[in-house]
Amino acid sequence: DDKLLSEPLSHPDFFNVKELFSLKDLFDARVHLGHKKGCRHRFMEPYIFGCRLDQDIIDLDQTMQHLQLALNFTAHIAYRKGIILFISRKRQFCHLIESTARECGEYAHTRYWQGGLLTNAHIQFGPGVRLPDLLIFLNSLNNVFEPHVAIRDAAKMNIPTVGVVDTNCNPCLITYPIPGNDDSPTAMELYCKLFRMTIIRAKDKRRQSEVFSELR
Amino acid sequence: LRLIYTTTPVQIKNVGASGPEKYTEEFIKKQIEEFNLGKRHLANMMGEDPETFTQEDIDRAVAYLFPSGLFDKQARPMMKHPTEIFPEQRKIQWGEDGRPFHFLFYTGKQSYYSLMHETYEKLLNVQKYQDQLAAQDHLPQKEKKNLAGSRWLTKIELEEMLLEKLSDDDYSRFIQLLEKLMALTCVDMEEEHIQKFSKEVPVQLKKVVIEPLKYDERGVAFSTGEGTRKTAKATVVVYDNGTGKITVNGIDILHYFPVLQDREQLLFPFQFLDRVGKHDMVCTVSGGGRSAQAGAIRLASAKALRSFVTEKEVEFMRQAGLLTVDPRVKERKKPGQEGARRKFTWKKR
């Protein structure tokens, strides 16, 4: 059992997440498109490649690195049977994200966030709740274009976060930010596909390793 | 459990803030086993067959063995199936390893949001199907369905269905989604899902049914009517081909109602329809006083005469006030006053 858990940690890319996406896929899904120059957040400037006709272009090389780190992290969490919660406050993609979460066997929250969900969980849900071990933000802002409350709450509760940050978002409190577009349908479908594949892959690998260790 | 590095006072359980205690699946199963065992013991005690011991038998046995004079029925000893005692809502929603069962558990209102998710999915499917048909130009025409035959579930009914508290906003959003779904042309494929949330409204009959004439052994047409006025109740049988003879409780009206005013009241419906000497009437009346009994018989005879007369004349009768029940009753006396309205004499000092 100990070997099961410590073995993936020794490899840099145990689940081989690099092969799931390529630069061309990201470009075709229009992940590099950001918002206009006026909407730019100060802390996103390192991730921005340039500006054309007032529209920011996100640096896809950095996006590749961040995406690889984030997918690797989610795969490890899924391998160790952690609870993953997908969060997005965009009404357009609410259905897509909920179906993705259902197919993975993980959880989603694309509705109005009640204040004490993470911080006041023992009273809201009951004693003995298990909080999520990873939050994945497919849309970092809420409907009023402010940073989602869950980012701050996760930081308070020591829960790691993975988030897609657009040019108008604040990447500060997110542990594994992924600079990229969060408004196009193609980009969202790509992210959902990638997360779904990593989680399913990690879970399958876990089941295989358990079967092997039982056989021995 | 997640280890949070805080000082001990913060971890004190706020007993009042969390809702009623939650319980696990196994607890419920154990309770059901205990209940079944207890049912058999009870049957043995009462000397009846344990196999065919129903819930009513249990209630009777418990009421016999533990007689209680408490007024509140719910405070008396009772033995019911655990699913009725422990409400479904308070079951713990996660398994042994801590993972919740439902994928929308962390939203708080899991059943409501999963319902919205499913309904929206159905909406998308219908739209896709419609687009496919439109591409091939096979769109069927929209047929107008029954407008006033059904209504959506109310908020309370929906709350009962989902076992969760809803806000007015949530409820209105759900209804809007259902309306949007109904507005599409190809809705028929999702009919069963929608029918779970609609209820039949029986069309209220506005028209009062006028009973047809009945014929007795001699071949004379008659009809009955009932009327009330201020505690007096009257039943009247009006016969056709008569001479205008009226009998009340077996007594002729001249002897029963010595006062002219009461007899005028009795004759008013006939006078209004110009049928003064054409009908016979046999009445039974009880309760009330002299004037109240007269008014009751008047209403009853007007109701009976509706069967003899055209619809237009019925409308005339209604407008004349012959068919309306007089709602005036004796007003109650209030404390601190002499009567219903009269106050005690006011003395200046």
Side-chain angles (χ1 to χ4, degrees):
Chain A
D1 196 41
D2 230 4
K3 215 179 143 218
L4 253 184
L5 294 175
S6 57
E7 209 208 311
L9 296 175
S10 43
H11 306 248
D13 195 6
F14 185 68
F15 300 95
N16 204 358
V17 290
K18 273 192 238 175
E19 63 171 23
L20 288 173
F21 60 94
S22 70
L23 203 96
K24 188 158 183 331
D25 292 333
L26 294 183
F27 186 82
D28 288 331
R30 302 192 262 260
V31 163
H32 59 288
L33 299 173
H35 289 279
K36 293 278 188 181
K37 195 161 73 175
C39 296
R40 196 192 301 175
H41 194 95
R42 203 185 127 169
F43 296 141
M44 288 299 286
E45 275 156 26
Y47 303 121
I48 290 176
F49 184 70
C51 186
R52 171 155 172 97
L53 292 174
D54 256 9
Q55 190 179 7
D56 288 329
I57 309 292
I58 299 168
D59 188 0
L60 282 182
D61 294 318
Q62 291 188 48
T63 307
M64 290 267 285
Q65 293 166 4
H66 282 95
L67 192 55
Q68 194 255 313
L69 287 173
L71 288 176
N72 188 32
F73 187 69
T74 47
H76 278 276
I77 295 261
Y79 183 85
R80 297 160 97 82
K81 296 206 180 144
I83 296 182
I84 301 180
L85 186 60
F86 287 87
I87 300 180
S88 163
R89 206 53 185 100
K90 263 240 158 94
R91 256 186 76 125
Q92 220 177 343
F93 310 116
C94 141
H95 185 83
L96 170 69
I97 293 164
E98 285 183 343
S99 352
T100 321
R102 196 174 41 181
E103 280 154 32
C104 296
E106 298 296 338
Y107 307 87
H109 184 108
T110 54
R111 310 283 176 169
Y112 179 73
W113 179 272
Q114 280 164 330
L117 262 186
L118 290 180
T119 38
N120 208 13
H122 288 279
I123 295 172
Q124 287 229 334
F125 296 118
V129 207
R130 189 173 147 190
L131 288 180
D133 300 307
L134 174 67
L135 302 190
I136 302 186
F137 287 89
L138 288 150
N139 198 286
S140 185
L141 303 175
N142 59 14
N143 285 355
V144 226
F145 298 109
E146 279 168 6
H148 203 288
V149 175
I151 306 178
R152 193 199 64 190
D153 280 349
K156 280 191 193 175
M157 305 296 285
N158 287 357
I159 302 173
T161 10
V162 161
V164 174
V165 279
D166 205 354
T167 41
N168 54 356
C169 306
N170 187 349
C172 279
L173 285 173
I174 306 174
T175 29
Y176 290 91
I178 305 171
N181 191 6
D182 63 0
D183 299 302
S184 314
T186 38
M188 292 302 264
E189 278 168 18
L190 177 77
Y191 296 135
C192 285
K193 192 185 82 174
L194 289 174
F195 281 118
R196 188 172 54 230
M197 277 160 58
T198 32
I199 293 172
I200 292 175
R201 225 186 238 201
K203 286 186 174 173
D204 285 337
K205 212 139 196 189
R206 173 64 186 245
R207 250 176 277 143
Q208 274 174 13
S209 325
E210 278 179 346
V211 164
F212 283 151
S213 59
E214 261 177 62
L215 282 174
R216 264 184 244 136
Chain B
L1 275 172
R2 176 147 246 113
L3 192 60
I4 308 165
Y5 297 101
T6 50
T7 51
T8 355
V10 181
Q11 281 165 352
I12 294 171
K13 206 159 72 162
N14 187 352
V15 181
S18 60
E21 238 182 64
K22 302 221 165 111
Y23 25 75
T24 56
E25 276 272 353
E26 305 161 25
F27 175 77
I28 302 253
K29 275 192 206 136
K30 221 170 55 166
Q31 292 292 314
I32 294 178
E33 279 166 31
E34 278 178 22
F35 172 77
N36 287 329
L37 269 179
K39 202 167 81 162
R40 295 182 79 90
H41 277 304
L42 197 60
N44 279 326
M45 271 197 274
M46 298 299 285
E48 296 197 32
D49 184 18
E51 306 297 327
T52 55
F53 206 55
T54 60
Q55 185 61 45
E56 291 149 10
D57 296 327
I58 297 179
D59 292 333
R60 250 187 298 128
V62 163
Y64 171 73
L65 291 169
F66 305 98
S68 145
L70 296 172
F71 286 114
D72 192 357
K73 298 276 196 259
Q74 284 174 327
R76 297 185 185 174
M78 63 169 145
M79 184 163 148
K80 288 209 161 63
H81 195 79
T83 42
E84 289 168 44
I85 304 182
F86 299 107
E88 181 68 31
Q89 195 180 5
R90 282 154 54 174
K91 213 164 32 159
I92 284 195
Q93 308 276 1
W94 52 89
E96 265 203 22
D97 57 348
R99 289 188 80 109
F101 298 130
H102 195 88
F103 76 106
L104 288 175
F105 168 75
Y106 286 106
T107 54
K109 303 181 212 175
Q110 63 178 48
S111 23
Y112 168 71
Y113 285 131
S114 79
L115 179 68
M116 290 289 274
H117 178 78
E118 276 166 30
T119 322
Y120 190 64
E121 194 169 330
K122 303 247 180 320
L123 182 85
L124 288 178
N125 286 342
V126 172
Q127 276 178 345
K128 206 165 76 170
Y129 183 67
Q130 226 179 301
D131 291 336
Q132 279 175 357
L133 287 188
Q136 296 159 8
D137 289 324
H138 285 327
L139 264 183
Q141 290 299 324
K142 173 80 177 174
E143 298 126 20
K144 275 271 182 183
K145 267 185 249 187
N146 55 340
L147 296 164
S150 61
R151 62 169 175 89
W152 297 121
L153 287 183
T154 56
K155 187 176 148 208
I156 303 167
E157 285 164 0
L158 194 62
E159 275 184 5
E160 270 171 56
M161 203 168 119
L162 299 175
L163 300 168
E164 256 175 15
K165 287 259 165 7
L166 293 178
S167 76
D168 292 325
D169 208 23
D170 295 334
Y171 174 70
S172 54
R173 276 196 187 256
F174 179 61
I175 298 294
Q176 279 168 16
L177 190 59
L178 283 175
E179 293 284 330
K180 206 168 151 185
L181 191 52
M182 285 298 279
L184 299 173
T185 20
C186 305
V187 151
D188 306 315
M189 37 196 271
E190 308 299 345
E191 272 297 322
E192 329 101 51
H193 183 78
I194 299 176
Q195 259 153 27
K196 278 186 239 163
F197 305 107
S198 66
K199 263 196 170 177
E200 291 286 320
V201 167
V203 180
Q204 280 170 344
L205 286 171
K206 284 265 169 101
K207 276 199 158 180
V208 183
V209 178
I210 304 176
E211 281 177 16
L213 289 171
K214 285 172 266 189
Y215 294 89
D216 66 358
E217 313 99 31
R218 282 177 295 146
V220 177
F222 72 95
S223 85
T224 41
E226 283 176 3
T228 48
R229 169 92 213 270
K230 224 200 202 184
T231 349
K233 282 193 212 154
T235 22
V236 143
V237 186
V238 175
Y239 293 95
D240 208 357
N241 296 344
T243 48
K245 206 168 64 162
I246 306 177
T247 317
V248 182
N249 283 354
I251 307 169
D252 194 44
I253 55 163
L254 266 182
H255 300 290
Y256 198 84
F257 291 120
V259 183
L260 177 66
Q261 179 198 335
D262 303 333
R263 284 183 299 228
E264 273 181 356
Q265 287 284 299
L266 291 202
L267 284 173
F268 180 26
F270 299 100
Q271 182 199 356
F272 186 78
L273 297 167
D274 291 325
R275 290 164 178 245
V276 180
K278 294 182 196 160
H279 293 282
D280 269 342
M281 206 158 74
V282 175
C283 334
T284 39
V285 70
S286 64
R290 164 204 98 201
S291 193
Q293 285 185 343
I297 301 174
R298 182 184 108 174
L299 178 62
S301 56
K303 280 193 181 165
L305 279 172
R306 276 184 313 189
S307 325
F308 287 92
V309 137
T310 56
E311 273 190 31
K312 243 190 181 175
E313 299 208 329
V314 171
E315 182 60 24
F316 287 149
M317 278 216 287
R318 188 191 70 91
Q319 285 185 354
L322 275 168
L323 300 174
T324 338
V325 180
D326 202 332
R328 299 177 290 177
V329 273
K330 189 160 175 167
E331 197 176 307
R332 167 212 153 156
K333 177 199 173 310
K334 284 107 191 174
Q337 291 174 353
E338 175 96 43
R341 299 286 172 104
R342 161 135 173 92
K343 323 280 188 271
F344 290 123
T345 320
W346 177 68
K347 294 215 174 57
K348 198 158 179 179
R349 48 186 67 82

